[in-house]
Structure formats: C-alpha cells, structure tokens
Amino acid sequence: KRKNDAGIPALYLVGNHDRYTRFNESGHSFNFVNVWSNELPLVTVMDKRDQYNIIINNKTVTIHAIPAEFEVGSNLGLSSSEFNIIALHSLLNGTHFQNGQLVSDGLTPGVIDLPWADMVIAGDNHKYQQLPLVYTKGWYTGAPMQHNWGDAGELRGISVFRIIKDTSGTKVEHEFVESVAPKFLQFDFNWSGDREFLEELNVVAGALKGHMVRIILHGKSDSLASVDR
C-alpha cells in the first residue's frame, strides 16, 4: 500500500508456496490483494499466464508472466511495448540448487531464452544466480532472507535491475543488495575451558547480535564433560 500511495507500481508473481493446491486454477494467498483492488490500483497480482503492462518513467513495460504450475506454452511472444520481461516461477535445467546439485528435471533454458526478451526474472530456486541463457540475460533473484539452517552461509538479498536501450542495443545493469534480515550463523570453538571459551565468544559477540546462532564445541570427550550445559 505504501508503494501504491507513492505512485510506484508493484507486481507479484504467484509461486508454488502461494497456491492452496498444486493446480493452476487453485486459489492463492494473494487473493486478498484483489479484494482491495479499488484501493490498490497500482498493485497487480500475476496469477495467470498472461501479459501484464505497467508504466515506468513514461515507458510501457510488458511482463510476460508464467506463474507456478503453468506451462510456458508456444504463444509466448513479443508485444508492442518498449520493454519486454519474462517473469517465471519454475526450475530451470543448468542452474544449481543451494547444495550445489545441478537441476536436471526442470525446464529447458531454450524455451525462455528468446532474442526479443530484454531480460528474464525467475523464482522457485532460492539460490541467487545468473541463468544459463545465450540470447538474453536472466537471474534467479533468490530468496530475500535465510529461512532455516540449510540456508546458513547462503547469500540472500534483493536485485535491482536497469534496462538501457540505445543504438548499440540493450544493456542490463544489475545490482545485488544483501539483505539485513537475521541470518543463521554457526560458530565452532575448540573447547579448552570456560574462561577461554567466554573470551573467544566475546570477540565475536558483536557479529552474533540479532541473528540465529548455533555454537558447536569441539574437544576430547573428557574435556567436554566439564561443559556446564
């Protein structure tokens, strides 16, 4: 609502966690936005495989939306807008999960690697990464914050894009802004006694404040037996 009242358009692409069931006609958690659509004219929920137009800096931008549970299809095509962006929520072959495993049972990159697209923005994979595209550029913007211990050490944040068009062609400027949300942090200490442990802990105390912290003590069993649990 703050963006709407400030005159800033906002678009939300429905993902798999937003739907009540794994069916593209299912209801979703963004339905509440549609209830208040009269008060939020600049907020658009992209829950259909469709083209959505917005005006930014007096330029028409068309978002070619492919929400969760929708097929890409064969009629994904260029509009007459000055800027065309594909917004996709799906796994893409050739990208990586956060554990490093290669995605191999998702979409083939070629179905969205289209020369007329100025860029592709993708969701579903929580790992921030550039997409393996040839004819256009694209990114998994990733999750904006860490969700659990499996995310520990993973880069999380938001992406800012600027598309520039001139006589030399199309250029996409990209800036990643790391999130200030609480992180899952793990610290390992070699146990040698209460005093030494507290001294070491005091050194890193500032880095721990405001985060979810897990401390692991290492040492021989007899020395760890003295730890006051």
Side-chain angles (χ1 to χ4, degrees):
K1 190 176 188 304
R2 289 196 300 268
K3 287 185 176 181
N4 183 88
D5 294 346
I8 302 173
L11 298 98
Y12 297 93
L13 183 69
V14 171
N16 58 306
H17 292 289
D18 301 315
R19 294 198 179 278
Y20 304 147
T21 67
R22 294 180 64 84
F23 178 55
N24 61 26
E25 293 298 328
S26 167
H28 51 77
S29 56
F30 279 110
N31 278 331
F32 77 93
V33 176
N34 296 327
V35 174
W36 302 99
S37 58
N38 290 337
E39 297 184 30
L40 301 170
L42 297 181
V43 178
T44 302
V45 176
M46 300 186 293
D47 57 0
K48 301 290 184 185
R49 188 193 171 289
D50 205 349
Q51 296 181 359
Y52 297 83
N53 294 319
I54 58 173
I55 305 297
I56 300 178
N57 295 332
N58 297 318
K59 303 289 186 180
T60 301
V61 179
T62 295
I63 309 296
H64 302 260
I66 310 168
E69 314 307 337
F70 278 85
E71 300 291 336
V72 174
S74 59
N75 61 334
L76 188 66
L78 177 67
S79 73
S80 59
S81 300
E82 295 160 277
F83 296 90
N84 290 274
I85 299 172
I86 296 174
L88 169 77
H89 190 95
S90 186
L91 294 176
L92 196 67
N93 290 345
T95 59
H96 292 83
F97 292 111
Q98 63 186 28
N99 63 2
Q101 181 182 348
L102 187 70
V103 178
S104 59
D105 58 352
L107 292 176
T108 302
V111 299
I112 58 168
D113 191 11
L114 305 171
W116 55 260
D118 295 307
M119 68 172 297
V120 178
I121 302 175
D124 197 13
N125 193 329
H126 290 190
K127 182 178 177 63
Y128 162 72
Q129 60 193 292
Q130 190 164 358
L131 303 180
L133 306 178
V134 176
Y135 300 108
T136 186
K137 293 184 178 296
W139 284 265
Y140 271 122
T141 55
M145 62 184 291
Q146 294 180 1
H147 292 88
N148 52 46
W149 284 107
D151 292 346
E154 289 291 331
L155 194 62
R156 296 288 186 258
I158 63 172
S159 293
V160 180
F161 300 100
R162 177 178 295 174
I163 302 175
I164 302 172
K165 287 190 173 185
D166 55 29
T167 54
S168 63
T170 300
K171 178 182 178 181
V172 179
E173 293 183 349
H174 171 231
E175 177 186 3
F176 182 82
V177 181
E178 188 171 356
S179 172
V180 297
K183 297 180 175 64
F184 288 81
L185 302 177
Q186 177 175 309
F187 283 83
D188 293 74
F189 292 92
N190 292 315
W191 180 258
S192 56
D194 292 353
R195 176 187 232 172
E196 294 79 4
F197 168 68
L198 292 174
E199 288 176 351
E200 288 187 65
L201 186 61
N202 188 57
V203 172
V204 298
L208 306 181
K209 188 176 181 180
H211 299 289
M212 280 68 72
V213 179
R214 178 164 61 190
I215 294 176
I216 297 179
L217 302 179
H218 301 269
K220 295 183 178 179
S221 57
D222 55 345
S223 63
L224 291 176
S226 65
V227 176
D228 184 357
R229 297 178 182 271

